[in-house]
Amino acid sequence: MKERIGIHYGISFIYLVIIRNLLGQGYLYTNYSSAFQKSLIYCLILSACLTILLEAWQMFKEVYIHRFKIQKVMAFLCLIAMILLIYLHSLYYSAIILFLLFYICRDGWRYYQMNKSL
């Protein structure tokens, strides 16, 4: 479990720093060290939140998913993600939501394939 949390946190942080830089925010190339530090602290906090959300998904999947069909849960999560994408109008936050959706859908697909073969 510690390894999974560390991997989720590391991947989330790297993803956030790269996406923040690629989408024109340019915080890694500023002249002021305070802006650079604020950007990295923001990415650290945001990656901790993403890790908590991914671990909450793991707990939900282990405890409650047997009560629901995985296809309905995945469709509901995709619908929520699309509503958030439309509401936020931010390419940066859209990339973060798509990152979460990718991990959750990949995990849900693996769970579905594993239970389908039983």
Side-chain angles (χ1 to χ4, degrees):
M1 184 167 151
K2 290 179 188 176
E3 294 85 12
R4 185 179 69 226
I5 292 173
I7 289 170
H8 282 167
Y9 187 76
I11 290 173
S12 298
F13 178 71
I14 292 169
Y15 178 78
L16 288 173
V17 169
I18 290 171
I19 290 299
R20 190 167 180 85
N21 214 7
L22 288 178
L23 291 179
Q25 301 293 335
Y27 288 114
L28 289 180
Y29 300 115
T30 59
N31 295 329
Y32 304 106
S33 63
S34 62
F36 175 73
Q37 291 168 351
K38 286 179 185 177
S39 176
L40 286 183
I41 290 171
Y42 179 73
C43 287
L44 284 171
I45 292 170
L46 202 55
S47 62
C49 293
L50 289 177
T51 303
I52 290 170
L53 285 174
L54 289 173
E55 289 304 313
W57 164 252
Q58 290 292 330
M59 296 292 283
F60 176 78
K61 187 181 74 172
E62 292 172 3
V63 176
Y64 295 111
I65 205 71
H66 64 278
R67 296 182 188 169
F68 309 105
K69 288 191 172 191
I70 189 72
Q71 297 93 343
K72 290 181 182 178
V73 172
M74 300 312 298
F76 179 71
L77 287 175
C78 288
L79 179 68
I80 296 246
M82 293 304 144
I83 290 171
L84 282 173
L85 292 175
I86 293 169
Y87 177 73
L88 289 176
H89 294 292
S90 170
L91 198 56
Y92 179 64
Y93 292 114
S94 298
I96 293 171
I97 292 169
L98 291 175
F99 172 76
L100 276 174
L101 191 64
F102 168 74
Y103 265 98
I104 290 173
C105 286
R106 185 186 67 171
D107 194 39
W109 178 254
R110 288 179 181 168
Y111 181 82
Y112 174 72
Q113 291 296 324
M114 183 179 69
N115 286 336
K116 185 175 139 181
S117 64
L118 293 178

